[in-house]
Amino acid sequence: MKVLLTLLICLFINGSYAQDTFVQRSNRPAIPWAVVDLPPFYILSGPHIGEGRIDRIRVLIQKELPEIQFVDMNIGIGRAVELWKMNKEVCYGAALKTKERMRWAYFTVSAFQPGSELMLVTMNRALLETPAKKVSLKKLLRENRWKGFIPMERSYGEVIDKIIKENYVPTNTKDPRILTADFGRILKMVAKKRYDFTLEYSSVVNAYNARNITEPALMMKPVLESTSYVPLHFACTKNEWGRDMVQKVDQAMQKIALTKEYQEAVEAWMEPQTLKKNQQALQEFYHRRAQGPWNTLSDE
C-alpha cells in the first residue's frame, strides 16, 4: 500500500512539473524553424543527431534569445519559399540569398562554408571519364543525353541557377519539382541508378557516403561554372514579424561570432586539409560577422 501511495505521489509531482513546464514553454513565442535531414548541415537521425553545423548554431542562437522558442518544421527550402509568398510565418536557417527570395524574406548571415564545391554526383562512370578536371554543367545539360534530377526549388547561386533555368529539360516534369524536405532522398535515387546524376555540395556527398559505408560510394566531379561558396543565411517571412526575428538573430550572431562554440559549429565536419586551407577566410568571416549588422533589413 505504501509503495502504491509513493508511486501516486511521484506521478502527481511529475505530472505537475510537466504541466508547469508546458505552461512556461507555451508563454514563449514559438518560432517555426524549417529543418531538413541534410548532413553535415542538419542531422536529424542516427548517432550524431543534433550535431550538424546549423543544428549547433541554432542552439547558440536560442541561448541568446531565451524569450522565444524555436520549433522544428520539417520542410525544405521550396516549401518555405511557398509559405513566405503566402505571408506565413516561418524561418529557414541555411538559405542561399537570391534576388527572387529577397522579394519574400528578410536575411541575415548565419554561417560560412568554404571549400565545399558544387559537384556533379553520379554512379555512371561514363559521365566522369573525360580528360577535363571539371564538368561543364552548361554543356552537359545542352547535350541532354543523361537523365538528371535537379530540384527546381533549390538555389546553387545565381550563375548555376541561370544555367539550369536556360538549359535543364526535366526527364519527368513531376519528379524534379517535388518540394522535398529530404534532399538526401535524391542522392539515394542516384545511388540506385534511377537517375544518372544530380548536383550537390561535396560536404553533403561525403557525409552521405560516410552514412552509407556498406554501399558503393557515390562518385563526383567538380562543376566548372560553380563559384566560391557564399555565406548561408537565416531568413524569415518578409513582414513585421520576420523583420523582428531577423533583427534579433542578427544581434545574436554578432554576440556569438567570436566564441569558441560558434566557430567549432561552423567548422564541424570539415576535413582537416579544407580547414587548414581556409583558416584565414574563416577568421575574416568571424570578425566581419561580429562587427555589426549583416542583413537585408534595409534592402527594399
Side-chain angles (χ1 to χ4, degrees), residues 177-199:
R177 298 182 183 277
I178 294 173
L179 299 180
T180 177
D182 181 9
F183 292 117
R185 191 179 72 176
I186 301 174
L187 293 179
K188 290 177 185 177
M189 289 192 289
V190 174
K192 292 179 178 179
K193 300 183 179 180
R194 286 181 54 189
Y195 291 87
D196 292 308
F197 72 89
T198 189
L199 299 176

PDB file of all heavy atoms in Angstrom, residues 177-199:
ATOM      1  N   ARG A 177      10.208  18.693 -59.530  1.00  0.00           N
ATOM      2  CA  ARG A 177       9.535  19.812 -58.886  1.00  0.00           C
ATOM      3  C   ARG A 177       8.932  19.430 -57.538  1.00  0.00           C
ATOM      4  O   ARG A 177       8.175  20.177 -56.954  1.00  0.00           O
ATOM      5  CB  ARG A 177       8.455  20.374 -59.820  1.00  0.00           C
ATOM      6  CG  ARG A 177       9.074  20.910 -61.101  1.00  0.00           C
ATOM      7  CD  ARG A 177       8.051  21.516 -62.037  1.00  0.00           C
ATOM      8  NE  ARG A 177       8.706  21.934 -63.262  1.00  0.00           N
ATOM      9  CZ  ARG A 177       9.336  23.085 -63.416  1.00  0.00           C
ATOM     10  NH1 ARG A 177       9.406  23.930 -62.438  1.00  0.00           N
ATOM     11  NH2 ARG A 177       9.906  23.394 -64.572  1.00  0.00           N
ATOM     12  N   ILE A 178       9.281  18.231 -57.050  1.00  0.00           N
ATOM     13  CA  ILE A 178       8.838  17.829 -55.733  1.00  0.00           C
ATOM     14  C   ILE A 178       9.460  18.756 -54.696  1.00  0.00           C
ATOM     15  O   ILE A 178      10.663  18.961 -54.690  1.00  0.00           O
ATOM     16  CB  ILE A 178       9.246  16.373 -55.430  1.00  0.00           C
ATOM     17  CG1 ILE A 178       8.518  15.405 -56.358  1.00  0.00           C
ATOM     18  CG2 ILE A 178       8.968  16.016 -53.973  1.00  0.00           C
ATOM     19  CD1 ILE A 178       8.983  13.972 -56.228  1.00  0.00           C
ATOM     20  N   LEU A 179       8.621  19.307 -53.812  1.00  0.00           N
ATOM     21  CA  LEU A 179       9.150  20.187 -52.776  1.00  0.00           C
ATOM     22  C   LEU A 179       9.595  19.309 -51.610  1.00  0.00           C
ATOM     23  O   LEU A 179       8.964  19.253 -50.567  1.00  0.00           O
ATOM     24  CB  LEU A 179       8.086  21.206 -52.348  1.00  0.00           C
ATOM     25  CG  LEU A 179       7.599  22.133 -53.464  1.00  0.00           C
ATOM     26  CD1 LEU A 179       6.556  23.102 -52.936  1.00  0.00           C
ATOM     27  CD2 LEU A 179       8.757  22.894 -54.075  1.00  0.00           C
ATOM     28  N   THR A 180      10.668  18.579 -51.816  1.00  0.00           N
ATOM     29  CA  THR A 180      11.110  17.588 -50.843  1.00  0.00           C
ATOM     30  C   THR A 180      11.771  18.238 -49.637  1.00  0.00           C
ATOM     31  O   THR A 180      12.470  19.226 -49.768  1.00  0.00           O
ATOM     32  CB  THR A 180      12.081  16.591 -51.491  1.00  0.00           C
ATOM     33  OG1 THR A 180      12.545  15.690 -50.483  1.00  0.00           O
ATOM     34  CG2 THR A 180      13.277  17.283 -52.109  1.00  0.00           C
ATOM     35  N   ALA A 181      11.531  17.664 -48.466  1.00  0.00           N
ATOM     36  CA  ALA A 181      12.214  18.118 -47.258  1.00  0.00           C
ATOM     37  C   ALA A 181      13.459  17.277 -47.011  1.00  0.00           C
ATOM     38  O   ALA A 181      14.140  17.453 -46.022  1.00  0.00           O
ATOM     39  CB  ALA A 181      11.273  17.999 -46.063  1.00  0.00           C
ATOM     40  N   ASP A 182      13.753  16.355 -47.910  1.00  0.00           N
ATOM     41  CA  ASP A 182      14.873  15.434 -47.744  1.00  0.00           C
ATOM     42  C   ASP A 182      15.670  15.339 -49.033  1.00  0.00           C
ATOM     43  O   ASP A 182      15.405  14.506 -49.889  1.00  0.00           O
ATOM     44  CB  ASP A 182      14.334  14.055 -47.335  1.00  0.00           C
ATOM     45  CG  ASP A 182      15.454  13.043 -47.112  1.00  0.00           C
ATOM     46  OD1 ASP A 182      16.629  13.463 -47.117  1.00  0.00           O
ATOM     47  OD2 ASP A 182      15.158  11.858 -46.943  1.00  0.00           O
ATOM     48  N   PHE A 183      16.673  16.218 -49.180  1.00  0.00           N
ATOM     49  CA  PHE A 183      17.474  16.182 -50.391  1.00  0.00           C
ATOM     50  C   PHE A 183      18.355  14.935 -50.441  1.00  0.00           C
ATOM     51  O   PHE A 183      18.838  14.555 -51.490  1.00  0.00           O
ATOM     52  CB  PHE A 183      18.326  17.449 -50.501  1.00  0.00           C
ATOM     53  CG  PHE A 183      17.505  18.691 -50.750  1.00  0.00           C
ATOM     54  CD1 PHE A 183      17.489  19.721 -49.822  1.00  0.00           C
ATOM     55  CD2 PHE A 183      16.743  18.808 -51.891  1.00  0.00           C
ATOM     56  CE1 PHE A 183      16.729  20.868 -50.047  1.00  0.00           C
ATOM     57  CE2 PHE A 183      15.981  19.944 -52.124  1.00  0.00           C
ATOM     58  CZ  PHE A 183      15.972  20.969 -51.203  1.00  0.00           C
ATOM     59  N   GLY A 184      18.541  14.299 -49.291  1.00  0.00           N
ATOM     60  CA  GLY A 184      19.269  13.045 -49.265  1.00  0.00           C
ATOM     61  C   GLY A 184      18.548  11.967 -50.064  1.00  0.00           C
ATOM     62  O   GLY A 184      19.175  11.029 -50.569  1.00  0.00           O
ATOM     63  N   ARG A 185      17.250  12.102 -50.192  1.00  0.00           N
ATOM     64  CA  ARG A 185      16.464  11.140 -50.963  1.00  0.00           C
ATOM     65  C   ARG A 185      16.865  11.157 -52.431  1.00  0.00           C
ATOM     66  O   ARG A 185      16.856  10.138 -53.119  1.00  0.00           O
ATOM     67  CB  ARG A 185      14.973  11.463 -50.835  1.00  0.00           C
ATOM     68  CG  ARG A 185      14.065  10.374 -51.375  1.00  0.00           C
ATOM     69  CD  ARG A 185      12.614  10.754 -51.205  1.00  0.00           C
ATOM     70  NE  ARG A 185      12.236  11.816 -52.136  1.00  0.00           N
ATOM     71  CZ  ARG A 185      10.996  12.284 -52.248  1.00  0.00           C
ATOM     72  NH1 ARG A 185      10.042  11.809 -51.482  1.00  0.00           N
ATOM     73  NH2 ARG A 185      10.711  13.229 -53.111  1.00  0.00           N
ATOM     74  N   ILE A 186      17.236  12.335 -52.913  1.00  0.00           N
ATOM     75  CA  ILE A 186      17.686  12.451 -54.304  1.00  0.00           C
ATOM     76  C   ILE A 186      18.999  11.698 -54.485  1.00  0.00           C
ATOM     77  O   ILE A 186      19.189  10.994 -55.483  1.00  0.00           O
ATOM     78  CB  ILE A 186      17.842  13.930 -54.703  1.00  0.00           C
ATOM     79  CG1 ILE A 186      16.508  14.660 -54.545  1.00  0.00           C
ATOM     80  CG2 ILE A 186      18.356  14.051 -56.138  1.00  0.00           C
ATOM     81  CD1 ILE A 186      16.580  16.154 -54.782  1.00  0.00           C
ATOM     82  N   LEU A 187      19.899  11.819 -53.509  1.00  0.00           N
ATOM     83  CA  LEU A 187      21.156  11.080 -53.582  1.00  0.00           C
ATOM     84  C   LEU A 187      20.894   9.575 -53.582  1.00  0.00           C
ATOM     85  O   LEU A 187      21.576   8.814 -54.279  1.00  0.00           O
ATOM     86  CB  LEU A 187      22.066  11.460 -52.413  1.00  0.00           C
ATOM     87  CG  LEU A 187      22.596  12.900 -52.396  1.00  0.00           C
ATOM     88  CD1 LEU A 187      23.467  13.132 -51.169  1.00  0.00           C
ATOM     89  CD2 LEU A 187      23.369  13.222 -53.667  1.00  0.00           C
ATOM     90  N   LYS A 188      19.911   9.149 -52.821  1.00  0.00           N
ATOM     91  CA  LYS A 188      19.569   7.725 -52.790  1.00  0.00           C
ATOM     92  C   LYS A 188      19.098   7.248 -54.157  1.00  0.00           C
ATOM     93  O   LYS A 188      19.433   6.143 -54.599  1.00  0.00           O
ATOM     94  CB  LYS A 188      18.473   7.464 -51.753  1.00  0.00           C
ATOM     95  CG  LYS A 188      18.921   7.626 -50.318  1.00  0.00           C
ATOM     96  CD  LYS A 188      17.758   7.427 -49.352  1.00  0.00           C
ATOM     97  CE  LYS A 188      18.190   7.710 -47.922  1.00  0.00           C
ATOM     98  NZ  LYS A 188      17.056   7.595 -46.964  1.00  0.00           N
ATOM     99  N   MET A 189      18.309   8.067 -54.849  1.00  0.00           N
ATOM    100  CA  MET A 189      17.808   7.682 -56.166  1.00  0.00           C
ATOM    101  C   MET A 189      18.944   7.611 -57.187  1.00  0.00           C
ATOM    102  O   MET A 189      18.945   6.749 -58.065  1.00  0.00           O
ATOM    103  CB  MET A 189      16.720   8.654 -56.620  1.00  0.00           C
ATOM    104  CG  MET A 189      15.430   8.515 -55.835  1.00  0.00           C
ATOM    105  SD  MET A 189      14.035   9.411 -56.567  1.00  0.00           S
ATOM    106  CE  MET A 189      14.507  11.088 -56.239  1.00  0.00           C
ATOM    107  N   VAL A 190      19.913   8.523 -57.047  1.00  0.00           N
ATOM    108  CA  VAL A 190      21.086   8.462 -57.926  1.00  0.00           C
ATOM    109  C   VAL A 190      21.923   7.226 -57.592  1.00  0.00           C
ATOM    110  O   VAL A 190      22.425   6.539 -58.486  1.00  0.00           O
ATOM    111  CB  VAL A 190      21.934   9.748 -57.805  1.00  0.00           C
ATOM    112  CG1 VAL A 190      23.231   9.623 -58.594  1.00  0.00           C
ATOM    113  CG2 VAL A 190      21.133  10.958 -58.303  1.00  0.00           C
ATOM    114  N   ALA A 191      22.063   6.927 -56.292  1.00  0.00           N
ATOM    115  CA  ALA A 191      22.831   5.753 -55.863  1.00  0.00           C
ATOM    116  C   ALA A 191      22.220   4.466 -56.405  1.00  0.00           C
ATOM    117  O   ALA A 191      22.938   3.516 -56.737  1.00  0.00           O
ATOM    118  CB  ALA A 191      22.904   5.708 -54.339  1.00  0.00           C
ATOM    119  N   LYS A 192      20.898   4.441 -56.524  1.00  0.00           N
ATOM    120  CA  LYS A 192      20.211   3.255 -57.047  1.00  0.00           C
ATOM    121  C   LYS A 192      20.077   3.291 -58.573  1.00  0.00           C
ATOM    122  O   LYS A 192      19.416   2.447 -59.159  1.00  0.00           O
ATOM    123  CB  LYS A 192      18.830   3.145 -56.404  1.00  0.00           C
ATOM    124  CG  LYS A 192      18.886   2.835 -54.914  1.00  0.00           C
ATOM    125  CD  LYS A 192      17.493   2.749 -54.317  1.00  0.00           C
ATOM    126  CE  LYS A 192      17.572   2.402 -52.835  1.00  0.00           C
ATOM    127  NZ  LYS A 192      16.227   2.323 -52.209  1.00  0.00           N
ATOM    128  N   LYS A 193      20.679   4.314 -59.182  1.00  0.00           N
ATOM    129  CA  LYS A 193      20.728   4.475 -60.634  1.00  0.00           C
ATOM    130  C   LYS A 193      19.362   4.723 -61.265  1.00  0.00           C
ATOM    131  O   LYS A 193      19.155   4.445 -62.445  1.00  0.00           O
ATOM    132  CB  LYS A 193      21.410   3.276 -61.293  1.00  0.00           C
ATOM    133  CG  LYS A 193      22.851   3.076 -60.815  1.00  0.00           C
ATOM    134  CD  LYS A 193      23.531   1.917 -61.541  1.00  0.00           C
ATOM    135  CE  LYS A 193      24.967   1.751 -61.061  1.00  0.00           C
ATOM    136  NZ  LYS A 193      25.659   0.636 -61.747  1.00  0.00           N
ATOM    137  N   ARG A 194      18.444   5.270 -60.484  1.00  0.00           N
ATOM    138  CA  ARG A 194      17.172   5.691 -61.070  1.00  0.00           C
ATOM    139  C   ARG A 194      17.379   6.958 -61.903  1.00  0.00           C
ATOM    140  O   ARG A 194      16.613   7.243 -62.816  1.00  0.00           O
ATOM    141  CB  ARG A 194      16.140   5.950 -59.964  1.00  0.00           C
ATOM    142  CG  ARG A 194      15.586   4.687 -59.327  1.00  0.00           C
ATOM    143  CD  ARG A 194      14.566   5.015 -58.264  1.00  0.00           C
ATOM    144  NE  ARG A 194      13.495   5.868 -58.757  1.00  0.00           N
ATOM    145  CZ  ARG A 194      12.574   6.424 -57.979  1.00  0.00           C
ATOM    146  NH1 ARG A 194      12.607   6.224 -56.662  1.00  0.00           N
ATOM    147  NH2 ARG A 194      11.630   7.177 -58.499  1.00  0.00           N
ATOM    148  N   TYR A 195      18.412   7.716 -61.535  1.00  0.00           N
ATOM    149  CA  TYR A 195      18.814   8.903 -62.289  1.00  0.00           C
ATOM    150  C   TYR A 195      20.311   8.828 -62.512  1.00  0.00           C
ATOM    151  O   TYR A 195      21.042   8.260 -61.709  1.00  0.00           O
ATOM    152  CB  TYR A 195      18.442  10.190 -61.540  1.00  0.00           C
ATOM    153  CG  TYR A 195      16.953  10.423 -61.475  1.00  0.00           C
ATOM    154  CD1 TYR A 195      16.205   9.871 -60.440  1.00  0.00           C
ATOM    155  CD2 TYR A 195      16.298  11.156 -62.452  1.00  0.00           C
ATOM    156  CE1 TYR A 195      14.831  10.055 -60.384  1.00  0.00           C
ATOM    157  CE2 TYR A 195      14.926  11.345 -62.403  1.00  0.00           C
ATOM    158  CZ  TYR A 195      14.194  10.790 -61.373  1.00  0.00           C
ATOM    159  OH  TYR A 195      12.840  10.967 -61.328  1.00  0.00           O
ATOM    160  N   ASP A 196      20.756   9.428 -63.610  1.00  0.00           N
ATOM    161  CA  ASP A 196      22.184   9.394 -63.929  1.00  0.00           C
ATOM    162  C   ASP A 196      23.004  10.380 -63.104  1.00  0.00           C
ATOM    163  O   ASP A 196      24.177  10.137 -62.843  1.00  0.00           O
ATOM    164  CB  ASP A 196      22.402   9.690 -65.422  1.00  0.00           C
ATOM    165  CG  ASP A 196      21.884   8.578 -66.311  1.00  0.00           C
ATOM    166  OD1 ASP A 196      22.263   7.415 -66.071  1.00  0.00           O
ATOM    167  OD2 ASP A 196      21.096   8.872 -67.225  1.00  0.00           O
ATOM    168  N   PHE A 197      22.389  11.492 -62.710  1.00  0.00           N
ATOM    169  CA  PHE A 197      23.167  12.485 -61.962  1.00  0.00           C
ATOM    170  C   PHE A 197      22.263  13.446 -61.215  1.00  0.00           C
ATOM    171  O   PHE A 197      21.063  13.554 -61.467  1.00  0.00           O
ATOM    172  CB  PHE A 197      24.075  13.284 -62.910  1.00  0.00           C
ATOM    173  CG  PHE A 197      23.330  14.263 -63.804  1.00  0.00           C
ATOM    174  CD1 PHE A 197      23.070  15.565 -63.391  1.00  0.00           C
ATOM    175  CD2 PHE A 197      22.884  13.874 -65.066  1.00  0.00           C
ATOM    176  CE1 PHE A 197      22.387  16.466 -64.205  1.00  0.00           C
ATOM    177  CE2 PHE A 197      22.202  14.765 -65.890  1.00  0.00           C
ATOM    178  CZ  PHE A 197      21.955  16.065 -65.463  1.00  0.00           C
ATOM    179  N   THR A 198      22.876  14.147 -60.297  1.00  0.00           N
ATOM    180  CA  THR A 198      22.260  15.291 -59.638  1.00  0.00           C
ATOM    181  C   THR A 198      23.378  16.264 -59.288  1.00  0.00           C
ATOM    182  O   THR A 198      24.549  16.021 -59.599  1.00  0.00           O
ATOM    183  CB  THR A 198      21.477  14.886 -58.374  1.00  0.00           C
ATOM    184  OG1 THR A 198      20.725  16.027 -57.899  1.00  0.00           O
ATOM    185  CG2 THR A 198      22.398  14.411 -57.262  1.00  0.00           C
ATOM    186  N   LEU A 199      23.031  17.370 -58.660  1.00  0.00           N
ATOM    187  CA  LEU A 199      24.014  18.349 -58.194  1.00  0.00           C
ATOM    188  C   LEU A 199      23.969  18.401 -56.676  1.00  0.00           C
ATOM    189  O   LEU A 199      22.885  18.383 -56.086  1.00  0.00           O
ATOM    190  CB  LEU A 199      23.716  19.740 -58.755  1.00  0.00           C
ATOM    191  CG  LEU A 199      23.729  19.902 -60.277  1.00  0.00           C
ATOM    192  CD1 LEU A 199      23.324  21.330 -60.645  1.00  0.00           C
ATOM    193  CD2 LEU A 199      25.097  19.580 -60.850  1.00  0.00           C
TER     194      LEU A 199
END
